[in-house]
């Protein structure tokens, strides 16, 4: 977790037993609280209140924000995560960056794309241009119709990891939205050739094939998506697509 503390092996100043015990207790409480925040967020909120009163500090506040997120109060959780990132005493770029990353995801779910973008850009400035952070920001750009900006971030991801099937699927979607169907098809075929590609890739290829005039190919892809998992979100989209062209 962000606030669990590992004791340094090569330290000249080993913590006194009482300090060491407190660290272990804090790390255990943090791990328990985060597990509860995912399993029973309302109960976790009660736990964080008493933990904060008893010195839970930033670990308690992070757990509270995650619990709030899991109750569905996404904007409130995003604000709490941003506040924690901006005020944390642990001025470690990665820790702050991860908090901004979580805030960005929460803002996007809350439908606040501009706030998400600001948080994601801060995370990238703190951590560096890591593929998953770029992917998050690309999704935000695409959600506002900024497909060229999404492609810029996705290009960076694919330059770092040419086998990133998720980035290839997203870039194919962006090319389709920009009506560059040749580049869209090229990316989606690359994605489908990888074992890591899922049904989202087939769903997208169906979309591209239909726009290219290959109705039979589109129907084949969407039917395969439904067969692979009838209750998936991709299958739901495929069913709607098939209904539209009947």
């Amino acid at each position: 977790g962000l606030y669990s503390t590992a004791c340094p092996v090569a330290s000249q100043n080993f913590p006194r037993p009482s300090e060491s015990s407190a660290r272990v207790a804090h790390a255990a409480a943090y791990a328990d609280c985060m597990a509860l925040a995912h399993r029973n967020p309302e109960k976790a909120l009660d736990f964080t209140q008493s933990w904060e009163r008893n010195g839970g500090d930033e670990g308690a506040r992070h757990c509270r924000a995650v619990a709030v997120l899991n109750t569905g109060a996404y904007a409130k959780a995003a604000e709490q995560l941003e506040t924690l990132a901006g005020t944390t005493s642990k001025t470690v770029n990665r820790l702050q960056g991860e908090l901004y990353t979580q805030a960005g995801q929460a803002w996007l779910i809350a439908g606040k794309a501009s706030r998400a973008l600001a948080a994601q850009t801060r995370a990238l400035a703190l951590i560096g241009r890591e593929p998953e952070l770029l992917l998050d920001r690309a999704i935000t750009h695409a959600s506002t119709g900024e497909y060229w900006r999404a492609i810029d971030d996705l290009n960076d991801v694919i330059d770092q990891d040419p086998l990133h099937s998720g980035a290839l699927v997203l870039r194919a979607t962006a090319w389709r939205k920009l009506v560059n169907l040749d580049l869209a098809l090229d990316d989606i075929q690359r994605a489908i050739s990888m074992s890591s590609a899922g049904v989202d890739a087939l769903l997208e290829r169906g979309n591209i094939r239909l726009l290219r005039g290959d109705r039979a190919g589109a129907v084949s892809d969407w039917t395969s998506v439904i067969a692979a998992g009838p209750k998936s979100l991709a299958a739901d989209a495929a069913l709607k697509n098939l209904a539209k062209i009947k």
Side-chain angles (χ1 to χ4, degrees), residues 62-117:
H62 183 228
C63 184
R64 183 183 66 201
V66 172
V68 169
L69 180 73
N70 287 323
T71 66
Y74 302 115
K76 184 179 178 182
E79 285 180 343
Q80 290 183 6
L81 288 161
E82 281 192 345
T83 298
L84 187 55
T87 60
T88 177
S89 61
K90 297 172 174 64
T91 52
V92 179
N93 283 0
R94 175 159 291 280
L95 296 183
Q96 288 178 290
E98 286 178 1
L99 289 165
Y100 279 118
T101 297
Q102 291 174 358
Q105 292 167 344
W107 280 126
L108 187 60
I109 298 168
K112 306 285 187 183
S114 61
R115 296 290 297 268
L117 201 60

Side-chain angles (χ1 to χ4, degrees), residues 141-155:
H141 279 312
S143 77
T144 64
E146 293 281 355
Y147 298 113
W148 283 112
R149 290 188 176 182
I151 285 168
D152 283 342
D153 280 344
L154 293 167
N155 286 345

Side-chain angles (χ1 to χ4, degrees), residues 20-97:
S20 181
S21 299
R23 287 185 184 184
V24 169
H26 184 279
Y30 178 77
D32 288 345
C33 187
M34 291 299 276
L36 193 59
H38 289 93
R39 190 174 66 249
N40 188 336
E42 287 83 4
K43 202 168 181 179
L45 287 170
D46 293 338
F47 178 82
T48 59
Q49 285 182 349
S50 60
W51 189 21
E52 278 192 78
R53 285 196 297 269
N54 292 289
D57 66 44
E58 293 169 5
R61 291 199 293 279
H62 183 228
C63 184
R64 183 183 66 201
V66 172
V68 169
L69 180 73
N70 287 323
T71 66
Y74 302 115
K76 184 179 178 182
E79 285 180 343
Q80 290 183 6
L81 288 161
E82 281 192 345
T83 298
L84 187 55
T87 60
T88 177
S89 61
K90 297 172 174 64
T91 52
V92 179
N93 283 0
R94 175 159 291 280
L95 296 183
Q96 288 178 290

Side-chain angles (χ1 to χ4, degrees), residues 5 7 14-27:
T5 308
C7 293
F14 289 103
R16 293 189 299 275
S18 59
E19 289 177 353
S20 181
S21 299
R23 287 185 184 184
V24 169
H26 184 279

Side-chain angles (χ1 to χ4, degrees), residues 165 169 187-195 197-198 201-202 205 221:
S165 60
V169 173
D187 273 349
I188 207 65
Q189 296 287 41
R190 280 174 64 191
I192 286 171
S193 71
M194 298 171 195
S195 58
L202 280 174
R205 189 173 68 178
D221 280 339

Side-chain angles (χ1 to χ4, degrees), residues 158-207:
I158 294 161
D159 285 346
Q160 293 182 56
D161 181 5
L163 302 179
H164 198 305
S165 60
L168 285 165
V169 173
L170 286 171
R171 194 170 69 175
T173 303
W175 286 129
R176 171 171 62 82
K177 293 287 190 178
L178 292 166
V179 202
N180 192 327
L181 300 180
D182 289 343
L183 288 177
L185 188 63
D186 182 55
D187 273 349
I188 207 65
Q189 296 287 41
R190 280 174 64 191
I192 286 171
S193 71
M194 298 171 195
S195 58
S196 58
V199 289
D200 287 343
L202 280 174
L203 176 68
E204 181 54 40
R205 189 173 68 178
N207 298 339

